[in-house]
PDB file of all heavy atoms in Angstrom:
ATOM      1  N   GLU Y 326     -23.721   7.600 -19.175  1.00  0.00           N
ATOM      2  CA  GLU Y 326     -25.066   7.909 -18.684  1.00  0.00           C
ATOM      3  C   GLU Y 326     -25.187   9.380 -18.289  1.00  0.00           C
ATOM      4  O   GLU Y 326     -24.278   9.952 -17.660  1.00  0.00           O
ATOM      5  CB  GLU Y 326     -25.369   7.020 -17.479  1.00  0.00           C
ATOM      6  CG  GLU Y 326     -26.773   7.129 -16.953  1.00  0.00           C
ATOM      7  CD  GLU Y 326     -27.000   6.172 -15.805  1.00  0.00           C
ATOM      8  OE1 GLU Y 326     -26.673   4.977 -15.968  1.00  0.00           O
ATOM      9  OE2 GLU Y 326     -27.480   6.618 -14.744  1.00  0.00           O
ATOM     10  N   CYS Y 327     -26.275   9.995 -18.644  1.00  0.00           N
ATOM     11  CA  CYS Y 327     -26.519  11.401 -18.305  1.00  0.00           C
ATOM     12  C   CYS Y 327     -26.953  11.494 -16.844  1.00  0.00           C
ATOM     13  O   CYS Y 327     -27.861  10.780 -16.407  1.00  0.00           O
ATOM     14  CB  CYS Y 327     -27.587  12.001 -19.212  1.00  0.00           C
ATOM     15  SG  CYS Y 327     -27.976  13.731 -18.839  1.00  0.00           S
ATOM     16  N   ALA Y 328     -26.331  12.390 -16.089  1.00  0.00           N
ATOM     17  CA  ALA Y 328     -26.671  12.543 -14.678  1.00  0.00           C
ATOM     18  C   ALA Y 328     -28.010  13.218 -14.475  1.00  0.00           C
ATOM     19  O   ALA Y 328     -28.577  13.163 -13.381  1.00  0.00           O
ATOM     20  CB  ALA Y 328     -25.577  13.340 -13.967  1.00  0.00           C
ATOM     21  N   SER Y 329     -28.542  13.834 -15.521  1.00  0.00           N
ATOM     22  CA  SER Y 329     -29.809  14.551 -15.402  1.00  0.00           C
ATOM     23  C   SER Y 329     -31.002  13.675 -15.752  1.00  0.00           C
ATOM     24  O   SER Y 329     -31.980  13.637 -15.007  1.00  0.00           O
ATOM     25  CB  SER Y 329     -29.792  15.790 -16.300  1.00  0.00           C
ATOM     26  OG  SER Y 329     -31.023  16.464 -16.253  1.00  0.00           O
ATOM     27  N   CYS Y 330     -30.918  12.964 -16.895  1.00  0.00           N
ATOM     28  CA  CYS Y 330     -32.083  12.191 -17.340  1.00  0.00           C
ATOM     29  C   CYS Y 330     -31.826  10.696 -17.415  1.00  0.00           C
ATOM     30  O   CYS Y 330     -32.762   9.910 -17.567  1.00  0.00           O
ATOM     31  CB  CYS Y 330     -32.556  12.707 -18.702  1.00  0.00           C
ATOM     32  SG  CYS Y 330     -31.356  12.454 -20.039  1.00  0.00           S
ATOM     33  N   GLY Y 331     -30.569  10.254 -17.357  1.00  0.00           N
ATOM     34  CA  GLY Y 331     -30.260   8.831 -17.367  1.00  0.00           C
ATOM     35  C   GLY Y 331     -30.075   8.221 -18.734  1.00  0.00           C
ATOM     36  O   GLY Y 331     -29.820   7.013 -18.846  1.00  0.00           O
ATOM     37  N   VAL Y 332     -30.158   9.024 -19.804  1.00  0.00           N
ATOM     38  CA  VAL Y 332     -29.960   8.508 -21.158  1.00  0.00           C
ATOM     39  C   VAL Y 332     -28.477   8.294 -21.419  1.00  0.00           C
ATOM     40  O   VAL Y 332     -27.657   9.155 -21.107  1.00  0.00           O
ATOM     41  CB  VAL Y 332     -30.557   9.481 -22.201  1.00  0.00           C
ATOM     42  CG1 VAL Y 332     -30.222   9.019 -23.618  1.00  0.00           C
ATOM     43  CG2 VAL Y 332     -32.061   9.583 -22.017  1.00  0.00           C
ATOM     44  N   SER Y 333     -28.107   7.143 -22.001  1.00  0.00           N
ATOM     45  CA  SER Y 333     -26.706   6.836 -22.294  1.00  0.00           C
ATOM     46  C   SER Y 333     -26.324   7.365 -23.667  1.00  0.00           C
ATOM     47  O   SER Y 333     -27.097   7.234 -24.633  1.00  0.00           O
ATOM     48  CB  SER Y 333     -26.463   5.327 -22.233  1.00  0.00           C
ATOM     49  OG  SER Y 333     -26.659   4.842 -20.927  1.00  0.00           O
ATOM     50  N   THR Y 334     -25.130   7.961 -23.720  1.00  0.00           N
ATOM     51  CA  THR Y 334     -24.621   8.523 -24.967  1.00  0.00           C
ATOM     52  C   THR Y 334     -23.175   8.090 -25.145  1.00  0.00           C
ATOM     53  O   THR Y 334     -22.338   8.338 -24.270  1.00  0.00           O
ATOM     54  CB  THR Y 334     -24.687  10.060 -24.958  1.00  0.00           C
ATOM     55  OG1 THR Y 334     -26.019  10.466 -24.655  1.00  0.00           O
ATOM     56  CG2 THR Y 334     -24.263  10.628 -26.298  1.00  0.00           C
ATOM     57  N   ASP Y 335     -22.867   7.422 -26.261  1.00  0.00           N
ATOM     58  CA  ASP Y 335     -21.489   7.018 -26.536  1.00  0.00           C
ATOM     59  C   ASP Y 335     -20.655   8.237 -26.885  1.00  0.00           C
ATOM     60  O   ASP Y 335     -21.089   9.115 -27.634  1.00  0.00           O
ATOM     61  CB  ASP Y 335     -21.449   6.024 -27.693  1.00  0.00           C
ATOM     62  CG  ASP Y 335     -22.028   4.670 -27.299  1.00  0.00           C
ATOM     63  OD1 ASP Y 335     -21.948   4.335 -26.104  1.00  0.00           O
ATOM     64  OD2 ASP Y 335     -22.557   3.974 -28.184  1.00  0.00           O
ATOM     65  N   LYS Y 336     -19.432   8.272 -26.342  1.00  0.00           N
ATOM     66  CA  LYS Y 336     -18.504   9.345 -26.688  1.00  0.00           C
ATOM     67  C   LYS Y 336     -17.086   8.823 -26.539  1.00  0.00           C
ATOM     68  O   LYS Y 336     -16.770   8.106 -25.586  1.00  0.00           O
ATOM     69  CB  LYS Y 336     -18.716  10.586 -25.817  1.00  0.00           C
ATOM     70  CG  LYS Y 336     -18.889  10.358 -24.331  1.00  0.00           C
ATOM     71  CD  LYS Y 336     -19.191  11.680 -23.648  1.00  0.00           C
ATOM     72  CE  LYS Y 336     -19.542  11.495 -22.182  1.00  0.00           C
ATOM     73  NZ  LYS Y 336     -20.892  10.933 -21.998  1.00  0.00           N
ATOM     74  N   PRO Y 337     -16.207   9.156 -27.489  1.00  0.00           N
ATOM     75  CA  PRO Y 337     -14.821   8.686 -27.417  1.00  0.00           C
ATOM     76  C   PRO Y 337     -14.085   9.350 -26.256  1.00  0.00           C
ATOM     77  O   PRO Y 337     -14.544  10.333 -25.677  1.00  0.00           O
ATOM     78  CB  PRO Y 337     -14.230   9.109 -28.771  1.00  0.00           C
ATOM     79  CG  PRO Y 337     -15.095  10.237 -29.229  1.00  0.00           C
ATOM     80  CD  PRO Y 337     -16.464   9.955 -28.697  1.00  0.00           C
ATOM     81  N   LEU Y 338     -12.908   8.790 -25.951  1.00  0.00           N
ATOM     82  CA  LEU Y 338     -12.158   9.250 -24.795  1.00  0.00           C
ATOM     83  C   LEU Y 338     -11.703  10.692 -24.929  1.00  0.00           C
ATOM     84  O   LEU Y 338     -11.592  11.415 -23.933  1.00  0.00           O
ATOM     85  CB  LEU Y 338     -10.944   8.328 -24.576  1.00  0.00           C
ATOM     86  CG  LEU Y 338     -10.132   8.548 -23.300  1.00  0.00           C
ATOM     87  CD1 LEU Y 338     -11.001   8.309 -22.071  1.00  0.00           C
ATOM     88  CD2 LEU Y 338      -8.918   7.620 -23.285  1.00  0.00           C
ATOM     89  N   TRP Y 339     -11.445  11.138 -26.144  1.00  0.00           N
ATOM     90  CA  TRP Y 339     -10.916  12.491 -26.320  1.00  0.00           C
ATOM     91  C   TRP Y 339     -11.987  13.564 -26.155  1.00  0.00           C
ATOM     92  O   TRP Y 339     -11.675  14.746 -26.051  1.00  0.00           O
ATOM     93  CB  TRP Y 339     -10.254  12.631 -27.692  1.00  0.00           C
ATOM     94  CG  TRP Y 339     -11.099  12.248 -28.874  1.00  0.00           C
ATOM     95  CD1 TRP Y 339     -11.160  11.030 -29.479  1.00  0.00           C
ATOM     96  CD2 TRP Y 339     -12.023  13.082 -29.587  1.00  0.00           C
ATOM     97  NE1 TRP Y 339     -12.045  11.040 -30.516  1.00  0.00           N
ATOM     98  CE2 TRP Y 339     -12.592  12.291 -30.620  1.00  0.00           C
ATOM     99  CE3 TRP Y 339     -12.427  14.410 -29.478  1.00  0.00           C
ATOM    100  CZ2 TRP Y 339     -13.524  12.784 -31.512  1.00  0.00           C
ATOM    101  CZ3 TRP Y 339     -13.362  14.901 -30.364  1.00  0.00           C
ATOM    102  CH2 TRP Y 339     -13.900  14.098 -31.372  1.00  0.00           C
ATOM    103  N   VAL Y 340     -13.262  13.196 -26.114  1.00  0.00           N
ATOM    104  CA  VAL Y 340     -14.335  14.167 -25.868  1.00  0.00           C
ATOM    105  C   VAL Y 340     -14.451  14.365 -24.358  1.00  0.00           C
ATOM    106  O   VAL Y 340     -14.860  13.466 -23.629  1.00  0.00           O
ATOM    107  CB  VAL Y 340     -15.680  13.670 -26.449  1.00  0.00           C
ATOM    108  CG1 VAL Y 340     -16.810  14.629 -26.085  1.00  0.00           C
ATOM    109  CG2 VAL Y 340     -15.577  13.508 -27.952  1.00  0.00           C
ATOM    110  N   ARG Y 341     -14.108  15.567 -23.895  1.00  0.00           N
ATOM    111  CA  ARG Y 341     -14.053  15.829 -22.460  1.00  0.00           C
ATOM    112  C   ARG Y 341     -15.303  16.514 -21.920  1.00  0.00           C
ATOM    113  O   ARG Y 341     -15.368  16.827 -20.732  1.00  0.00           O
ATOM    114  CB  ARG Y 341     -12.827  16.694 -22.119  1.00  0.00           C
ATOM    115  CG  ARG Y 341     -11.496  16.141 -22.595  1.00  0.00           C
ATOM    116  CD  ARG Y 341     -11.294  14.689 -22.228  1.00  0.00           C
ATOM    117  NE  ARG Y 341     -11.385  14.434 -20.809  1.00  0.00           N
ATOM    118  CZ  ARG Y 341     -11.432  13.230 -20.279  1.00  0.00           C
ATOM    119  NH1 ARG Y 341     -11.437  12.155 -21.063  1.00  0.00           N
ATOM    120  NH2 ARG Y 341     -11.519  13.077 -18.966  1.00  0.00           N
ATOM    121  N   GLU Y 342     -16.270  16.785 -22.758  1.00  0.00           N
ATOM    122  CA  GLU Y 342     -17.510  17.425 -22.330  1.00  0.00           C
ATOM    123  C   GLU Y 342     -18.685  16.472 -22.555  1.00  0.00           C
ATOM    124  O   GLU Y 342     -18.745  15.784 -23.569  1.00  0.00           O
ATOM    125  CB  GLU Y 342     -17.758  18.729 -23.086  1.00  0.00           C
ATOM    126  CG  GLU Y 342     -16.721  19.821 -22.815  1.00  0.00           C
ATOM    127  CD  GLU Y 342     -16.764  20.320 -21.378  1.00  0.00           C
ATOM    128  OE1 GLU Y 342     -17.877  20.353 -20.806  1.00  0.00           O
ATOM    129  OE2 GLU Y 342     -15.710  20.655 -20.828  1.00  0.00           O
ATOM    130  N   HIS Y 343     -19.624  16.483 -21.610  1.00  0.00           N
ATOM    131  CA  HIS Y 343     -20.836  15.690 -21.743  1.00  0.00           C
ATOM    132  C   HIS Y 343     -21.962  16.599 -22.224  1.00  0.00           C
ATOM    133  O   HIS Y 343     -22.241  17.641 -21.606  1.00  0.00           O
ATOM    134  CB  HIS Y 343     -21.224  15.051 -20.404  1.00  0.00           C
ATOM    135  CG  HIS Y 343     -22.593  14.443 -20.400  1.00  0.00           C
ATOM    136  ND1 HIS Y 343     -22.855  13.217 -20.965  1.00  0.00           N
ATOM    137  CD2 HIS Y 343     -23.780  14.912 -19.934  1.00  0.00           C
ATOM    138  CE1 HIS Y 343     -24.136  12.944 -20.828  1.00  0.00           C
ATOM    139  NE2 HIS Y 343     -24.730  13.953 -20.203  1.00  0.00           N
ATOM    140  N   SER Y 344     -22.585  16.216 -23.322  1.00  0.00           N
ATOM    141  CA  SER Y 344     -23.721  16.968 -23.855  1.00  0.00           C
ATOM    142  C   SER Y 344     -24.815  15.967 -24.194  1.00  0.00           C
ATOM    143  O   SER Y 344     -24.664  15.152 -25.112  1.00  0.00           O
ATOM    144  CB  SER Y 344     -23.313  17.766 -25.095  1.00  0.00           C
ATOM    145  OG  SER Y 344     -24.406  18.486 -25.613  1.00  0.00           O
ATOM    146  N   CYS Y 345     -25.918  16.018 -23.446  1.00  0.00           N
ATOM    147  CA  CYS Y 345     -26.991  15.036 -23.606  1.00  0.00           C
ATOM    148  C   CYS Y 345     -27.910  15.442 -24.762  1.00  0.00           C
ATOM    149  O   CYS Y 345     -28.472  16.550 -24.750  1.00  0.00           O
ATOM    150  CB  CYS Y 345     -27.787  14.912 -22.314  1.00  0.00           C
ATOM    151  SG  CYS Y 345     -29.110  13.685 -22.401  1.00  0.00           S
ATOM    152  N   PRO Y 346     -28.080  14.581 -25.755  1.00  0.00           N
ATOM    153  CA  PRO Y 346     -28.980  14.916 -26.860  1.00  0.00           C
ATOM    154  C   PRO Y 346     -30.462  14.843 -26.475  1.00  0.00           C
ATOM    155  O   PRO Y 346     -31.316  15.362 -27.185  1.00  0.00           O
ATOM    156  CB  PRO Y 346     -28.642  13.863 -27.916  1.00  0.00           C
ATOM    157  CG  PRO Y 346     -28.153  12.694 -27.132  1.00  0.00           C
ATOM    158  CD  PRO Y 346     -27.451  13.259 -25.939  1.00  0.00           C
ATOM    159  N   ALA Y 347     -30.761  14.213 -25.335  1.00  0.00           N
ATOM    160  CA  ALA Y 347     -32.155  14.044 -24.927  1.00  0.00           C
ATOM    161  C   ALA Y 347     -32.680  15.248 -24.143  1.00  0.00           C
ATOM    162  O   ALA Y 347     -33.756  15.762 -24.416  1.00  0.00           O
ATOM    163  CB  ALA Y 347     -32.305  12.773 -24.106  1.00  0.00           C
ATOM    164  N   CYS Y 348     -31.886  15.692 -23.136  1.00  0.00           N
ATOM    165  CA  CYS Y 348     -32.369  16.772 -22.279  1.00  0.00           C
ATOM    166  C   CYS Y 348     -31.556  18.056 -22.412  1.00  0.00           C
ATOM    167  O   CYS Y 348     -31.921  19.077 -21.832  1.00  0.00           O
ATOM    168  CB  CYS Y 348     -32.388  16.324 -20.820  1.00  0.00           C
ATOM    169  SG  CYS Y 348     -30.746  16.027 -20.111  1.00  0.00           S
ATOM    170  N   GLY Y 349     -30.442  18.007 -23.135  1.00  0.00           N
ATOM    171  CA  GLY Y 349     -29.631  19.198 -23.319  1.00  0.00           C
ATOM    172  C   GLY Y 349     -28.689  19.519 -22.174  1.00  0.00           C
ATOM    173  O   GLY Y 349     -28.040  20.564 -22.183  1.00  0.00           O
TER     174      GLY Y 349
END
Side-chain angles (χ1 to χ4, degrees):
E326 186 177 310
C327 179
S329 177
C330 65
V332 174
S333 295
T334 306
D335 290 332
K336 45 184 173 286
L338 187 62
W339 54 267
V340 175
R341 305 311 303 170
E342 295 294 326
H343 169 79
S344 180
C345 182
C348 67

